[in-house]
Amino acid sequence: MDNRTYKTVGRTVRKKDAMQLLLGKPVYTHDIIPKGALVVKLLRSPHAHAMVASVNKKAASAVPGVAGIYTWEDAPGNRFAIAGQTYPEASPYDRLIIDRHIRFVGDVVAIVAAETEAAADKAIRLIKVNYELLDPVLDIHTAKDNPILVHPEEDWFPPCQVGGDPKRNLVACETDSHGDVDRIMEECDIVLEHTYHTRAFNQAMMETFRTYSELDRYGRLHLISSTQIVFHTRRILSRALGIPKSMIRVEKPRIGGGFGAKQTAVCDVYPAFVTMKTGRPAEIIYSRKESFDAGSPRHEMEIKVKLGADKDGRIRALDLYTLSNTGAYGEHGPTTVGLSGHKSIPMYTGSLEAYRFAYDVVYTNTVPAGAYRGYGATQGIFALESAVNELAEKLHMDPTVMREQNMVREGMVMPAYYGETANACALDRCLAHCKEMFHWDEKYPVRDMGNGKVRTAGVAMAMQGSCISGIDVGSATIKLNEDGGYNLLIGAADMGTGCDTILAQMLAENMDCSVDDVAVFGADTDASPYDSGSYASSTTYITGKAVEKACDDLKKKLCRIAADMLQVDPADVQFEGKYVRCLADDRKIPLGDIAYKTQVFSNEHAEATASHSSPVSPPPYMVGMVEIELDKETGHVEVLNVCAVVDCGIPINPALATIQTEGGLVQGIGHTLMENVTINKKGKIIEDNFLQYKLPTRLDMGHLKVEFEQSYEPTGPFGAKSIGEIVINTPAPALAHAIYRATGVWHRELPITPEKILMELLQKN
């Protein structure tokens, strides 16, 4: 443990952008871009699977204000992926900017550019398309080895070998195991085997997908985009458009929510293509309907769990198989699925003797899935934690006691988590803390409240990661200004999480200054140092460490410059916040003087850049508990209390960590009880607006209480781990558990709506 007392780290600091947002200042993409850009609209297919036979643009082109209409005949033939992943991407190159082969309802048939939105909309309506309809593959169970191929093209290309085969509708497949699963299963007193199903939930961020593009004064393509991945977007555009990366600049302003959706370059290529065609600025703004129909939702997954245990509740073997639906294109398909097993199974390292984890990721003619907070772990934890709760109920054991005797603890090696050691793990303390805070012993029993209403509780635990180990890179550049303040340049994207503030706190702690002395800039591919982007819960852990390293380098530079000014050896001076002091005679050089010195006859600049990557991804841990009141006459579930205790190492900013946790809990409640994505027999999403896609409001979340148990992660900055994703993972299994206790019926498919609860109760009775 680190017992140091910090001035800024571990303390609540107001967010850097708080006042601009509260005062309604122009900070988002559409607020800041120049007026007069061409409006870009997309003609989308009404069919799930088809070939475009012909497109008649004559009437549409005659609409006043239309600047261009483009089809597959006008677009480059370079296949690419829109997944925001480090090169070489695990996701296959299976897209074209516009493809004649239509693969889902919402796939792009034509791009329209016009002077006004009205002209673009009118032109869209006047385009006539003849389709050759093909049979679609809509069922994930029949997709693998189906004679109907979603991607029959010969130029399908996998940058990484992940077991994909388009001739089998497979994006990825793999099997991983440790120990003799079958033998141990045979020895177990109890073997449970169930299948769990989760839908393709939408991120539903308030700011939809949007991008502005222009040619700058040097003829380079310049994008302003609401994106989490500026450097990946530059690479994606370079490949799709066939132009050098040096001719592309991507920057992001404030982001109006992302939750992983904007780790995918959903819309960036379309205005960029129009700008390259016309030479004019262009802007695209997805409607809410488009964001549902052609966004980047969570992967639908079906997870089969086989669990072997002894009658005393010791879990000895786990066997998971995940079938994941990537939709019409493969972005994030090969990577999300792995987390469904590798970030659920390791939680039971304490007792586990063997595990097997296998998966298939299949193409279907449905909306392509992508990254969403939790990134596959959410689905896997719902399945495994539900199975553990089922085991506890079958054995008439308190599920918290069962977890206490099976959970991973600090110092344990986790074979199912790539062999990493749990160097910082307070999961046991999280459970004890949560039980006390929630009053588990009082709320767990089923209590009849009269009028058909019962109250009870459920529990779950979770783990996640803090980066993509061995891959993610974070970087930071720190510059000293003449007034003694600092500029911090980053490539990570603050999307409301507060990373600008958290990284500024780390700089302030290292450089012994105020957070107000730090100006943060990011992210811009022309000015920011390279950063993988804001995803995989990596910003605090990875980019934070880069800030720490850059501070160390900068202090050494400042000492060298000051030593030269004092005409002493660098070993004889010491950095002390506002100045550098000579140890021998106490002479001091203020930072401002050092900055000015570097501007006159100097060979050393007062700035430093550092990068950081980690060979490990230390997991944060969490325990969540819920109390519900269920009405057996209507099936309605009212969430009364939600408690969570999180181990994210050392919380850098406790207020922001609390808000992150509360937001994730509410999203998890929404997934479990109301959010739904239903695809009809024609491949169309039914819930494509906020009237039908139900989100939780303040009235649906009950009373939230969040607290923390600290551990110290030796590889993290100031002992910190991540918190962004883990917080969404416990509500689903905990609520499913509570609903079982109230009704006697297990629900193994999300969402668990009142209709489902009532129908199951009627069938049971």
PDB file of all heavy atoms in Angstrom, residues 67 125 166 220 288 330 368 380 448 467 478 512 667 681 684:
ATOM      1  N   ALA A  67     -25.902  18.897 -54.687  1.00  0.00           N
ATOM      2  CA  ALA A  67     -24.535  19.059 -55.185  1.00  0.00           C
ATOM      3  C   ALA A  67     -23.939  17.761 -55.703  1.00  0.00           C
ATOM      4  O   ALA A  67     -22.979  17.780 -56.471  1.00  0.00           O
ATOM      5  CB  ALA A  67     -23.649  19.610 -54.073  1.00  0.00           C
ATOM      6  N   ARG A 125     -35.871  10.992 -51.354  1.00  0.00           N
ATOM      7  CA  ARG A 125     -37.184  10.418 -51.681  1.00  0.00           C
ATOM      8  C   ARG A 125     -37.346  10.146 -53.172  1.00  0.00           C
ATOM      9  O   ARG A 125     -38.138   9.281 -53.565  1.00  0.00           O
ATOM     10  CB  ARG A 125     -38.298  11.357 -51.205  1.00  0.00           C
ATOM     11  CG  ARG A 125     -38.397  11.483 -49.692  1.00  0.00           C
ATOM     12  CD  ARG A 125     -39.705  12.151 -49.273  1.00  0.00           C
ATOM     13  NE  ARG A 125     -39.814  13.512 -49.775  1.00  0.00           N
ATOM     14  CZ  ARG A 125     -39.382  14.588 -49.115  1.00  0.00           C
ATOM     15  NH1 ARG A 125     -38.808  14.440 -47.913  1.00  0.00           N
ATOM     16  NH2 ARG A 125     -39.520  15.792 -49.615  1.00  0.00           N
ATOM     17  N   PRO A 166     -15.279 -16.386 -43.860  1.00  0.00           N
ATOM     18  CA  PRO A 166     -16.537 -15.860 -44.411  1.00  0.00           C
ATOM     19  C   PRO A 166     -17.342 -16.912 -45.159  1.00  0.00           C
ATOM     20  O   PRO A 166     -18.556 -16.764 -45.310  1.00  0.00           O
ATOM     21  CB  PRO A 166     -16.064 -14.740 -45.337  1.00  0.00           C
ATOM     22  CG  PRO A 166     -14.657 -15.097 -45.695  1.00  0.00           C
ATOM     23  CD  PRO A 166     -14.095 -15.768 -44.478  1.00  0.00           C
ATOM     24  N   ARG A 220      -5.388  19.572 -47.190  1.00  0.00           N
ATOM     25  CA  ARG A 220      -5.498  18.339 -46.412  1.00  0.00           C
ATOM     26  C   ARG A 220      -6.937  18.152 -45.933  1.00  0.00           C
ATOM     27  O   ARG A 220      -7.658  19.112 -45.687  1.00  0.00           O
ATOM     28  CB  ARG A 220      -4.557  18.372 -45.211  1.00  0.00           C
ATOM     29  CG  ARG A 220      -3.098  18.489 -45.570  1.00  0.00           C
ATOM     30  CD  ARG A 220      -2.258  18.799 -44.351  1.00  0.00           C
ATOM     31  NE  ARG A 220      -2.195  17.662 -43.443  1.00  0.00           N
ATOM     32  CZ  ARG A 220      -2.332  17.746 -42.128  1.00  0.00           C
ATOM     33  NH1 ARG A 220      -2.577  18.907 -41.551  1.00  0.00           N
ATOM     34  NH2 ARG A 220      -2.235  16.671 -41.370  1.00  0.00           N
ATOM     35  N   ARG A 288     -32.002  10.266 -34.726  1.00  0.00           N
ATOM     36  CA  ARG A 288     -32.097   9.243 -33.681  1.00  0.00           C
ATOM     37  C   ARG A 288     -32.428   7.893 -34.299  1.00  0.00           C
ATOM     38  O   ARG A 288     -31.897   6.854 -33.893  1.00  0.00           O
ATOM     39  CB  ARG A 288     -33.151   9.651 -32.650  1.00  0.00           C
ATOM     40  CG  ARG A 288     -33.294   8.674 -31.489  1.00  0.00           C
ATOM     41  CD  ARG A 288     -32.002   8.483 -30.721  1.00  0.00           C
ATOM     42  NE  ARG A 288     -31.514   9.708 -30.135  1.00  0.00           N
ATOM     43  CZ  ARG A 288     -30.357   9.825 -29.499  1.00  0.00           C
ATOM     44  NH1 ARG A 288     -29.560   8.771 -29.371  1.00  0.00           N
ATOM     45  NH2 ARG A 288     -29.957  10.991 -29.010  1.00  0.00           N
ATOM     46  N   GLY A 330     -18.105  -7.037 -39.292  1.00  0.00           N
ATOM     47  CA  GLY A 330     -17.404  -7.703 -38.197  1.00  0.00           C
ATOM     48  C   GLY A 330     -16.754  -6.832 -37.158  1.00  0.00           C
ATOM     49  O   GLY A 330     -16.038  -7.348 -36.299  1.00  0.00           O
ATOM     50  N   PRO A 368     -25.047  -4.080 -37.738  1.00  0.00           N
ATOM     51  CA  PRO A 368     -23.727  -4.439 -37.216  1.00  0.00           C
ATOM     52  C   PRO A 368     -23.567  -3.977 -35.771  1.00  0.00           C
ATOM     53  O   PRO A 368     -23.942  -2.859 -35.419  1.00  0.00           O
ATOM     54  CB  PRO A 368     -22.759  -3.690 -38.137  1.00  0.00           C
ATOM     55  CG  PRO A 368     -23.563  -3.304 -39.330  1.00  0.00           C
ATOM     56  CD  PRO A 368     -24.968  -3.157 -38.879  1.00  0.00           C
ATOM     57  N   GLY A 380     -21.237 -11.906 -20.390  1.00  0.00           N
ATOM     58  CA  GLY A 380     -20.699 -13.088 -19.720  1.00  0.00           C
ATOM     59  C   GLY A 380     -20.955 -13.085 -18.231  1.00  0.00           C
ATOM     60  O   GLY A 380     -21.259 -14.129 -17.632  1.00  0.00           O
ATOM     61  N   ASP A 448     -43.503 -10.579   2.295  1.00  0.00           N
ATOM     62  CA  ASP A 448     -44.818 -10.325   1.715  1.00  0.00           C
ATOM     63  C   ASP A 448     -45.319  -8.976   2.223  1.00  0.00           C
ATOM     64  O   ASP A 448     -45.508  -8.778   3.420  1.00  0.00           O
ATOM     65  CB  ASP A 448     -45.785 -11.445   2.112  1.00  0.00           C
ATOM     66  CG  ASP A 448     -47.091 -11.380   1.327  1.00  0.00           C
ATOM     67  OD1 ASP A 448     -47.468 -10.274   0.873  1.00  0.00           O
ATOM     68  OD2 ASP A 448     -47.736 -12.433   1.168  1.00  0.00           O
ATOM     69  N   CYS A 467      -7.072  -1.954 -19.435  1.00  0.00           N
ATOM     70  CA  CYS A 467      -6.535  -1.620 -20.746  1.00  0.00           C
ATOM     71  C   CYS A 467      -6.567  -2.902 -21.568  1.00  0.00           C
ATOM     72  O   CYS A 467      -7.017  -3.934 -21.087  1.00  0.00           O
ATOM     73  CB  CYS A 467      -5.094  -1.099 -20.659  1.00  0.00           C
ATOM     74  SG  CYS A 467      -3.890  -2.347 -20.125  1.00  0.00           S
ATOM     75  N   ILE A 478       3.822  17.542 -22.044  1.00  0.00           N
ATOM     76  CA  ILE A 478       3.659  18.608 -21.055  1.00  0.00           C
ATOM     77  C   ILE A 478       4.624  19.734 -21.404  1.00  0.00           C
ATOM     78  O   ILE A 478       5.819  19.506 -21.611  1.00  0.00           O
ATOM     79  CB  ILE A 478       3.949  18.096 -19.634  1.00  0.00           C
ATOM     80  CG1 ILE A 478       3.048  16.900 -19.309  1.00  0.00           C
ATOM     81  CG2 ILE A 478       3.722  19.211 -18.615  1.00  0.00           C
ATOM     82  CD1 ILE A 478       3.399  16.214 -17.998  1.00  0.00           C
ATOM     83  N   ASP A 512       3.595  19.532  -8.319  1.00  0.00           N
ATOM     84  CA  ASP A 512       3.366  20.343  -7.116  1.00  0.00           C
ATOM     85  C   ASP A 512       2.792  21.713  -7.471  1.00  0.00           C
ATOM     86  O   ASP A 512       3.308  22.761  -7.064  1.00  0.00           O
ATOM     87  CB  ASP A 512       4.671  20.493  -6.322  1.00  0.00           C
ATOM     88  CG  ASP A 512       4.412  21.023  -4.905  1.00  0.00           C
ATOM     89  OD1 ASP A 512       3.238  20.983  -4.470  1.00  0.00           O
ATOM     90  OD2 ASP A 512       5.370  21.494  -4.269  1.00  0.00           O
ATOM     91  N   GLN A 667     -27.584   2.335 -16.328  1.00  0.00           N
ATOM     92  CA  GLN A 667     -27.596   1.667 -17.635  1.00  0.00           C
ATOM     93  C   GLN A 667     -27.869   0.176 -17.476  1.00  0.00           C
ATOM     94  O   GLN A 667     -28.626  -0.411 -18.253  1.00  0.00           O
ATOM     95  CB  GLN A 667     -26.253   1.879 -18.346  1.00  0.00           C
ATOM     96  CG  GLN A 667     -26.110   3.259 -18.964  1.00  0.00           C
ATOM     97  CD  GLN A 667     -24.812   3.393 -19.743  1.00  0.00           C
ATOM     98  OE1 GLN A 667     -23.735   3.106 -19.233  1.00  0.00           O
ATOM     99  NE2 GLN A 667     -24.906   3.844 -20.973  1.00  0.00           N
ATOM    100  N   LYS A 681     -39.192 -10.279 -38.811  1.00  0.00           N
ATOM    101  CA  LYS A 681     -38.819 -11.324 -39.763  1.00  0.00           C
ATOM    102  C   LYS A 681     -38.213 -10.778 -41.051  1.00  0.00           C
ATOM    103  O   LYS A 681     -37.641 -11.530 -41.841  1.00  0.00           O
ATOM    104  CB  LYS A 681     -40.031 -12.193 -40.085  1.00  0.00           C
ATOM    105  CG  LYS A 681     -41.187 -11.457 -40.743  1.00  0.00           C
ATOM    106  CD  LYS A 681     -42.365 -12.399 -40.976  1.00  0.00           C
ATOM    107  CE  LYS A 681     -43.531 -11.688 -41.655  1.00  0.00           C
ATOM    108  NZ  LYS A 681     -44.684 -12.599 -41.869  1.00  0.00           N
ATOM    109  N   LYS A 684     -35.787  -5.845 -39.730  1.00  0.00           N
ATOM    110  CA  LYS A 684     -35.890  -4.450 -39.308  1.00  0.00           C
ATOM    111  C   LYS A 684     -36.018  -4.351 -37.795  1.00  0.00           C
ATOM    112  O   LYS A 684     -36.727  -5.132 -37.166  1.00  0.00           O
ATOM    113  CB  LYS A 684     -37.113  -3.786 -39.964  1.00  0.00           C
ATOM    114  CG  LYS A 684     -37.227  -2.299 -39.679  1.00  0.00           C
ATOM    115  CD  LYS A 684     -38.465  -1.701 -40.309  1.00  0.00           C
ATOM    116  CE  LYS A 684     -38.491  -0.183 -40.103  1.00  0.00           C
ATOM    117  NZ  LYS A 684     -38.353   0.206 -38.697  1.00  0.00           N
TER     118      LYS A 684
END
